[in-house]
Amino acid sequence: MPEPQNVAAGLLAANLSRCPDKAAYLCNDDTLTHRALAADSARFANLLRARGVVAGERVVLVLPDSFAYAKAFLGAMLLGAVPVPVSAMLTRADYAFILADCAATALVTWEDSPAAEAARDVPETGVVLCCGLDGPWGLSEHSAEFEPAVTRDDAPGFMLYSSGSTGRPKGVPHAAADLLGPASPWGSDILRATGDDVFFSASKMSFAYGLMSSLTLPLSFGATGVFFPDKPGPYELLAAIARHRPSLFFCVPTLYNLVLRAFEPGNPEHDLSSLRLCYSAGEALPASLCRQWLLQTGVEILDGIGSTEAFNLFLSNAPGRVHCGASGEAVPGFETRLVADGGDGASPEVPDGTSGNLLIRGPGLAKAYWNRPEKTAETMLPEGWLATGDVYVRENGVFTHQGRSDDMLKVGAHWVSPVQVEDTLRTHPAVAECAVAALRVEGLMRPCAHVVLKDPGLAQSQPQLATDILRHVRGLLPVHMCPVRVEYHTDLPKTPTGKIQRFRLRSA
Amino acid sequence: MDVTGVDLKALLEEVGVKPEVARAVDPSGPLLRQGLDSVDFPSFCALLEERYGLRLDDEAALKLRTLNDFAAAVNGLKG
């Protein structure tokens, strides 16, 4: 039999032959075997085709991490369509923007979700499939046989959305084969993953990090993944680890901080004995958290950095060689360059010990943003180099994160655009002018609101005003975007042309 | 005079924790079990440092779970 050329078909077929009756996924009390996943993914492809979806069209997925997610993603890929996982935490307006931006013909979501409401306003999105955690109603009526589509290597195979500096997300299309990139060498050589592993990611599948650790890795190694459909709170994560006994746990520093604070050694609901390794990405892991986690739990956390554009980790620590407070070394297969502002792949590198902008080159990088030629030109540089926007210092091959070259903040592994938070702050009646910049608390970056009041006297006469401003914003923005503090200023630092210099307000 | 866990309840309200949640906090119980979230915690730490003019060590701060823990840390650093 010839090798299947469809990436999803290849993954499913390999597991169907080597481990059909093993659990592909665990979710709450339920188990989905590799055999059942293959059958239901084929059924999903047939369902999409029956509803008129064809190869090349975008299928937006707005779902909790669940069996339905894996079936819909793989089903769309079998059809040659382009699955577009999107966060389940967005507003109706955000969904309307994304559906229209990628001209999605189909949306897979839950009944009454804000995305389903948004689809009513987007004429292109004619197909809305409503799902429970297991899949859409009526899936079993479709055939489990499907002839996978063979698509061009350079055609988009799946697409993720990443927040933009103006607050509008931008699509990052990847070739189908890029889905396999994280399996090797990151998965095989750094995580040393095998078929015996059980993968559990607190990061959702709408993020590259979550998709890699919940879909790419379990399926590439014929292993098992754990789906956690709910909002990941520290006690809920501890309980899920004790229950499903994963060997590899993928999480972000903000949550590691909370999980460690919640962790009670000896409590049977906090049994971490199944873990052989923890991984951290999404924002820089503070050295203090890296050390304390190992001390208190006995399990190493490897910190690394990847991106939606790379759909991979390009810098990583390795087991037994952890540099707490650093992102580690270049992952084999990736070239790195640290260059001065405005530099490209041909520019000289800054010397060791000096800050530079990190450029990377390697397999699986996105070639362009979806319909954003200007942003593409800024980020996807000549000769295959990609500007990460991250500033690093390198010493003896080990990279330590210094911050961003733009004003974007990474908070709890989410991108936060200061512009969006500032727009919301300005809706408070006391705020005349404002800027949002990073404040370091416990080694993690948080948004801080720098505010000029319309009436400066209010700072003294109304001691509750800062609380009032914080509460006002919390009622309007997702939790990771909310400032943790308000600082008053009489004026804000500006360039001669009047542009606010947010970088001058960052705390070290 | 030493700071107590009860004194610190007022700071929770100040950083935007809902008054009914802040007032119901048991100073000897873990804050994360009592309705504080991933914004409340760093907001509280930042305000605590500002109000008492001190700097909590990042690593030591990870072991502070209750208002009483925070009060003891503040008193230790003031002392």
Side-chain angles (χ1 to χ4, degrees):
Chain A
M1 204 173 84
E3 281 292 305
Q5 294 176 55
N6 179 295
V7 167
L11 277 172
L12 293 166
N15 294 330
L16 207 49
S17 73
R18 65 184 160 181
C19 52
D21 297 315
K22 183 177 184 172
Y25 288 107
L26 308 171
C27 183
N28 298 327
D29 288 331
D30 298 317
T31 300
L32 181 74
T33 63
H34 284 281
R35 188 196 306 277
L37 175 64
D40 276 359
S41 299
R43 289 188 175 104
F44 215 108
N46 278 315
L47 167 61
L48 288 169
R49 186 161 63 186
R51 297 293 300 270
V53 179
V54 300
E57 292 182 342
R58 270 73 57 206
V59 177
V60 168
L61 312 179
V62 180
L63 293 168
D65 283 13
S66 57
F67 298 163
Y69 214 130
K71 296 172 188 178
F73 189 97
L74 296 165
M77 283 189 91
L78 287 173
L79 180 65
V82 182
V84 184
V86 174
S87 168
M89 306 293 285
L90 304 183
T91 63
R92 178 176 174 159
D94 294 327
Y95 291 124
F97 173 81
I98 289 171
L99 289 168
D101 184 67
C102 70
T105 52
L107 166 70
V108 184
T109 188
W110 69 92
E111 211 171 342
D112 302 329
S113 80
E117 290 172 17
R120 290 186 207 129
D121 305 330
V122 182
E124 295 93 333
T125 313
V127 178
V128 177
L129 293 172
C130 291
C131 275
L133 292 180
D134 196 38
W137 183 81
L139 186 65
S140 59
E141 292 165 14
H142 292 269
S143 166
E145 300 291 325
F146 189 85
E147 186 60 41
V150 177
T151 50
R152 288 203 339 259
D153 290 349
D154 58 349
F158 64 101
M159 180 152 83
L160 292 158
Y161 268 84
S162 175
S163 300
S165 54
T166 57
R168 284 296 190 196
K170 51 192 188 296
V172 184
H174 275 279
D178 295 351
L179 189 69
L180 308 177
S184 180
W186 179 58
S188 55
D189 295 8
I190 292 175
L191 304 177
R192 297 171 189 168
T194 72
D196 293 331
D197 277 311
V198 177
F199 297 82
F200 177 29
S201 171
S203 193
K204 299 295 182 190
M205 297 213 328
S206 52
F207 296 99
Y209 180 42
L211 192 61
M212 292 178 219
S213 41
S214 286
L215 196 90
T216 303
L217 295 179
L219 297 185
S220 296
F221 290 93
T224 300
V226 175
F227 282 135
F228 186 77
D230 307 316
K231 188 170 176 282
Y235 292 100
E236 293 79 4
L237 288 174
L238 284 164
I241 292 171
R243 175 181 192 174
H244 295 297
R245 303 196 56 75
S247 53
L248 287 159
F249 180 50
F250 300 82
C251 193
V252 300
T254 294
L255 268 172
Y256 275 121
N257 175 305
L258 297 181
V259 172
L260 191 58
R261 272 224 167 81
F263 177 60
E264 295 159 12
N267 180 340
E269 285 186 17
H270 296 186
D271 178 5
L272 303 182
S273 62
S274 64
L275 294 176
R276 67 170 179 82
L277 202 57
C278 293
Y279 205 88
S280 178
E283 59 189 321
L285 180 72
S288 51
L289 184 52
C290 174
R291 284 192 292 264
Q292 275 301 315
W293 181 272
L294 177 61
L295 270 174
Q296 294 191 40
T297 69
V299 188
E300 238 173 11
I301 304 187
L302 306 185
D303 187 22
I305 181 172
S307 70
T308 310
E309 290 82 353
F311 195 71
N312 214 327
L313 278 291
F314 43 81
L315 298 179
S316 181
N317 279 280
R321 277 210 327 269
V322 170
H323 302 271
C324 279
S327 304
E329 299 166 57
V331 171
F334 284 100
E335 296 172 74
T336 61
R337 289 188 79 80
L338 287 183
V339 300
D341 287 348
D344 60 19
S347 307
E349 285 209 88
V350 299
D352 263 22
T354 307
S355 288
N357 297 300
L358 177 66
L359 311 182
I360 59 162
R361 183 161 72 176
L365 304 181
K367 304 285 187 293
Y369 291 109
W370 183 260
N371 293 340
R372 299 279 198 289
E374 282 177 22
K375 192 68 197 163
T376 298
E378 276 172 33
T379 309
M380 286 80 177
L381 306 178
E383 307 293 324
W385 291 97
L386 183 108
T388 62
D390 290 289
V391 179
Y392 270 94
V393 163
R394 181 183 52 209
E395 275 173 304
N396 302 318
V398 176
F399 290 78
T400 304
H401 197 247
Q402 306 294 306
R404 293 282 304 169
S405 60
D406 55 19
D407 288 329
M408 294 294 280
L409 279 70
K410 205 69 183 289
V411 183
H414 296 268
W415 286 118
V416 175
S417 158
V419 178
Q420 241 178 323
V421 185
E422 290 159 6
D423 286 347
T424 306
L425 280 165
R426 275 191 292 270
T427 63
H428 190 282
V431 174
E433 223 184 355
C434 61
V436 167
L439 171 74
R440 189 187 287 269
V441 183
E442 290 187 288
L444 293 165
M445 292 302 174
R446 309 289 184 166
C448 179
H450 298 268
V451 167
V452 177
L453 293 171
K454 287 179 184 161
D455 173 1
L458 289 179
Q460 290 298 322
S461 64
Q462 285 193 23
Q464 285 300 306
L465 182 59
T467 308
D468 190 55
I469 292 171
L470 291 175
R471 287 213 178 108
H472 172 77
V473 177
R474 287 202 62 166
L476 297 168
L477 288 177
V479 80
H480 61 272
M481 294 175 74
C482 295
V484 300
R485 170 189 248 180
V486 173
E487 288 188 7
Y488 296 128
H489 298 256
T490 48
D491 51 47
L492 295 171
K494 287 180 187 150
T495 62
T497 56
K499 192 168 178 276
I500 293 174
Q501 295 173 304
R502 297 188 188 90
F503 70 92
R504 291 192 185 278
L505 298 164
R506 289 179 196 161
S507 82
Chain B
M1 203 172 79
D2 275 0
V3 175
T4 67
V6 176
D7 296 335
L8 298 183
K9 277 194 187 192
L11 265 59
L12 289 178
E13 271 195 63
E14 231 178 291
V15 296
V17 176
K18 289 189 184 114
E20 62 272 22
V21 174
R23 281 171 210 156
V25 164
D26 167 9
S28 63
L31 288 165
L32 287 172
R33 280 208 193 268
Q34 301 182 77
L36 264 71
D37 65 19
S38 61
V39 174
D40 301 328
F41 230 101
S43 305
F44 175 71
C45 291
L47 182 62
L48 191 83
E49 291 183 345
E50 182 196 324
R51 194 57 50 88
Y52 294 100
L54 48 84
R55 175 86 182 85
L56 294 170
D57 172 71
D58 285 351
E59 216 153 325
L62 283 168
K63 295 174 188 160
L64 307 178
R65 298 172 185 202
T66 69
L67 283 184
N68 287 345
D69 291 344
F70 277 97
V74 169
N75 294 328
L77 287 166
K78 277 172 39 185

